């Protein structure tokens, strides 16, 4: 049986402060759009950063990738979709798609990879128990 698809979508109105002198979204803001969608994912599916911390872990990003397809401009309304990608490794992987909310055109795609560190900043090679339970509760195979 395939894994359940866990996904959220966040609507963002591109603000003036997010664009460069050409009126195009400055590249660094895509990381913020991805993070906003990850936070919404955490709230929706109960995988918040503070919960991970309480379980004894940090989950820093170790990979962040963007693929630019079309220009996003000031005053565009975009949909940022964040989808959980399952892996057997001790990692959290998300795939992203940013679409123009009016035309549904794909503007940007990307992904992030997070790992687990204990509170002494040691990399955890085994999937933490809380994450195994989280997967099980959400219909994801371990």
């Amino acid at each position: 049986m395939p894994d359940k698809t866990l996904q959220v979508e966040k609507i963002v109105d591109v603000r003036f402060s997010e664009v460069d002198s050409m009126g195009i979204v400055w590249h660094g803001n895509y990381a913020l759009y991805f993070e906003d969608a990850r936070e919404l994912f955490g709230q929706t599916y109960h995988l918040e950063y503070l919960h991970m911390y309480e379980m004894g872990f940090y989950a820093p990003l170790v990979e962040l990738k963007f693929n630019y397809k079309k220009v996003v401009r000031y005053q565009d309304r975009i949909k940022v979709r964040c989808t959980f990608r399952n892996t057997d490794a001790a990692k959290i992987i998300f795939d992203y798609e940013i679409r123009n909310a009016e035309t549904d055109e794909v503007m940007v795609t990307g992904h992030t990879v997070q790992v687990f560190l204990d509170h002494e900043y040691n990399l955890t090679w085994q999937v933490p128990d809380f994450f195994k339970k989280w997967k099980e509760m959400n219909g994801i195979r371990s």
Side-chain angles (χ1 to χ4, degrees):
M1 177 162 76
D3 290 335
K4 180 178 169 187
T5 300
L6 303 182
Q7 184 175 89
V8 296
E9 203 169 82
K10 182 170 182 67
I11 300 294
V12 175
D13 292 312
V14 177
R15 301 177 306 166
F16 180 75
S17 63
E18 297 168 344
V19 300
D20 60 19
S21 60
M22 297 176 286
I24 297 170
V25 169
W26 177 68
H27 65 276
N29 283 315
Y30 292 106
L32 297 174
Y33 299 152
F34 284 10
E35 183 164 347
D36 288 346
R38 267 196 323 278
E39 281 196 280
L40 178 59
F41 184 96
Q43 293 164 358
T44 302
Y45 293 104
H46 309 294
L47 190 63
E48 296 95 342
Y49 290 122
L50 286 177
H51 177 67
M52 287 188 239
Y53 178 79
E54 290 166 359
M55 295 293 105
F57 297 94
Y58 300 112
L61 285 180
V62 294
E63 187 173 322
L64 170 63
K65 181 168 182 168
F66 305 106
N67 293 303
Y68 303 101
K69 308 293 184 190
K70 298 251 181 180
V71 172
V72 179
R73 294 182 174 90
Y74 173 52
Q75 293 187 317
D76 280 353
R77 175 169 270 202
I78 57 176
K79 296 184 291 188
V80 184
R81 182 176 297 146
C82 175
T83 306
F84 176 79
R85 186 194 323 164
N86 192 23
T87 178
D88 292 333
K91 296 178 180 180
I92 305 173
I93 302 174
F94 289 108
D95 294 310
Y96 304 88
E97 190 175 75
I98 297 178
R99 290 180 174 265
N100 182 295
E102 315 299 318
T103 66
D104 208 37
E105 285 182 281
V106 175
M107 311 303 277
V108 177
T109 61
H111 73 267
T112 57
V113 177
Q114 294 168 266
V115 296
F116 295 102
L117 300 180
D118 66 21
H119 285 184
E120 285 77 45
Y121 304 100
N122 298 303
L123 181 63
T124 301
W125 292 99
Q126 301 298 318
V127 177
D129 287 340
F130 86 90
F131 193 54
K132 288 179 189 176
K133 289 176 188 167
W134 177 85
K135 285 182 172 188
E136 186 178 305
M137 286 175 22
N138 285 284
I140 305 295
R141 66 176 167 72
S142 289

